Amino acid sequence: MTIIEDDTTAYLSARLRRERESRGWSLGQFAEKSGVSKAMISKIERGEASPTATVLGRLSGALSVTVSALLSRTDAVHHGVRRYAQQPAWSDPETGYDRRQVLSGQKIPLELVEVTLPAGQKVTMPAAAYSFIQQAIWVLEGSLLFHQGDRVHHLDTGDCLELGPPQDCMFENKTAENCRYLVAVVRSA
Amino acid sequence: MTIIEDDTTAYLSARLRRERESRGWSLGQFAEKSGVSKAMISKIERGEASPTATVLGRLSGALSVTVSALLSRTDAVHHGVRRYAQQPAWSDPETGYDRRQVLSGQKIPLELVEVTLPAGQKVTMPAAAYSFIQQAIWVLEGSLLFHQGDRVHHLDTGDCLELGPPQDCMFENKTAENCRYLVAVVRSA
DNA sequence: GGATTACGTCCATTATAGTAGACAGTCAAT
DNA sequence: ATTGACTGTCTACTATAATGGACGTAATCC
């Protein structure tokens, strides 16, 4: 029997227990819903095992939250408010690419992510990265070229794009200004 | 040798490779920075292994992103464009209140509504209006007071609010400037 | 040409994740 | 009191994560 000391797993164990108990589920019920053994769930909650991404996917699926939300440490969100300063953000200093997690829904299966794509930059996304996802893109500022296969959509400020089946694709900003857009993701129950 | 089919791990493999390559790191360099073997990183990127939360913590640490951000699905793509000029909009000339239906999802159960609430104005919404609805509010510009029951949330630009159970509520702009916000609605299946 | 270095993947081994079933305890119904 | 259902944890086992070193390939240098 080993107690795992690392930060991520320690945080996860407390979080997982809290999520389960807040729903009033026993280990057995959670096991049924998630397809992960109750013994394993118990181990994770006691910090005795570190779950694989596969198991994380199953657990978060049963909880109807994203894996990202499950591991997010900004979720002590008391009344549902996510302050700008508390929203997780990531930037690539080299390119100026910026991504901000405005909302990772706890009560509702929704994520809102604000992205800044700098002038002249592009981002590619293989289909595998977003299978089983439902999402839309809304351009807040600037212009965006969306390439999907041999198809290109030109989106200007205010335009919105509802996405269909997953395909390899690329976002591109060919202009001299930054492009800022919102990605709204609905998680399937 | 097994190729893992689950969604979370598939997404992670593509994402991890992209993050590494965007930094121009070899597997060896990433291994040094993260303390995870290059063989394991290679396996994860090829979808041949599902990393534990412990390993995820190390990898994200080396990338200087949170685990949550690493697993966040913020990217996407494709057709179903709603042009700004084609989006249904309604305004009240008297008050300057403006409402635009950015997206009314056909493929996905999502609505995006952009609202401009003029200085000094308020809008009420009875609980009945959004029962069985899941929604969030994101302030794009200005400040918003959101009254829900006897609770008041003060939201500034960039702040986001995930709504809980339906209650009578009211949007209020007490400032001298317009407030612009997005209402994202996930429709129940 | 050969030697060196770096790359990603393969391989055998160790460590541990993950399971099904057993266990001890609790609680409600009879 | 007994019984049955449920709870979380323990146990022995299987499956696979994770490693260090080897390998084949490519690029560079002498």
Side-chain angles (χ1 to χ4, degrees), chain A residues 64 103-112 134-135 184-189, chain B residues 101 103-105 108-113 129-137 162-164 183-189:
Chain A
S64 294
L103 171 68
S104 192
Q106 280 200 333
K107 301 180 187 119
I108 62 180
L110 177 67
E111 288 190 23
L112 298 176
Q134 304 178 309
Q135 46 190 5
V185 182
V186 180
R187 284 288 303 170
S188 302
Chain B
Q101 187 85 20
L103 171 69
S104 189
I108 62 180
L110 177 68
E111 292 189 18
L112 298 177
V113 181
Y130 66 102
S131 54
F132 308 118
I133 292 190
Q134 306 175 310
Q135 60 185 15
I137 300 163
E162 180 183 13
L163 299 187
V183 179
V185 182
V186 179
R187 299 191 304 253
S188 300

Side-chain angles (χ1 to χ4, degrees), chain B residues 69-158:
Chain B
L70 187 60
L71 293 165
S72 171
R73 304 179 187 208
T74 56
D75 317 286
V77 162
H78 64 108
H79 76 278
V81 180
R82 308 316 194 256
R83 296 293 175 196
Y84 181 79
Q86 293 163 357
Q87 295 161 5
W90 177 80
S91 296
D92 180 350
E94 269 184 33
T95 61
Y97 176 85
D98 179 79
R99 186 185 186 89
R100 171 174 295 271
Q101 187 85 20
V102 173
L103 171 69
S104 189
Q106 293 185 353
K107 302 187 182 75
I108 62 180
L110 177 68
E111 292 189 18
L112 298 177
V113 181
E114 181 186 2
V115 178
T116 300
L117 187 59
Q121 298 292 324
K122 67 179 75 165
V123 183
T124 62
M125 188 179 305
Y130 66 102
S131 54
F132 308 118
I133 292 190
Q134 306 175 310
Q135 60 185 15
I137 300 163
W138 182 38
V139 177
L140 297 165
E141 280 175 8
S143 295
L144 184 67
L145 292 182
F146 180 71
H147 305 255
Q148 184 178 32
D150 56 357
R151 181 182 298 283
V152 184
H153 299 288
H154 181 141
L155 303 177
D156 290 318
T157 302

Side-chain angles (χ1 to χ4, degrees), chain A residues 94-97 116-122 143 172-180:
Chain A
E94 272 183 32
T95 63
Y97 177 84
T116 300
L117 186 59
Q121 297 293 324
K122 65 180 74 166
S143 295
E172 183 175 18
N173 178 5
K174 275 191 162 179
T175 70
E177 312 289 339
N178 284 356
C179 172
R180 194 163 62 93

Side-chain angles (χ1 to χ4, degrees), chain A residues 84 114 138 140-141 157 180, chain B residues 114-119 137-145 154-160 172-182:
Chain A
Y84 180 79
E114 180 186 4
W138 182 38
L140 297 166
E141 280 175 8
T157 301
R180 194 163 62 93
Chain B
E114 181 186 2
V115 178
T116 300
L117 187 59
I137 300 163
W138 182 38
V139 177
L140 297 165
E141 280 175 8
S143 295
L144 184 67
L145 292 182
H154 181 141
L155 303 177
D156 290 318
T157 302
D159 292 347
C160 188
E172 182 176 18
N173 179 4
K174 276 190 163 180
T175 70
E177 313 287 341
N178 283 357
C179 173
R180 194 161 62 94
Y181 58 93
L182 175 76

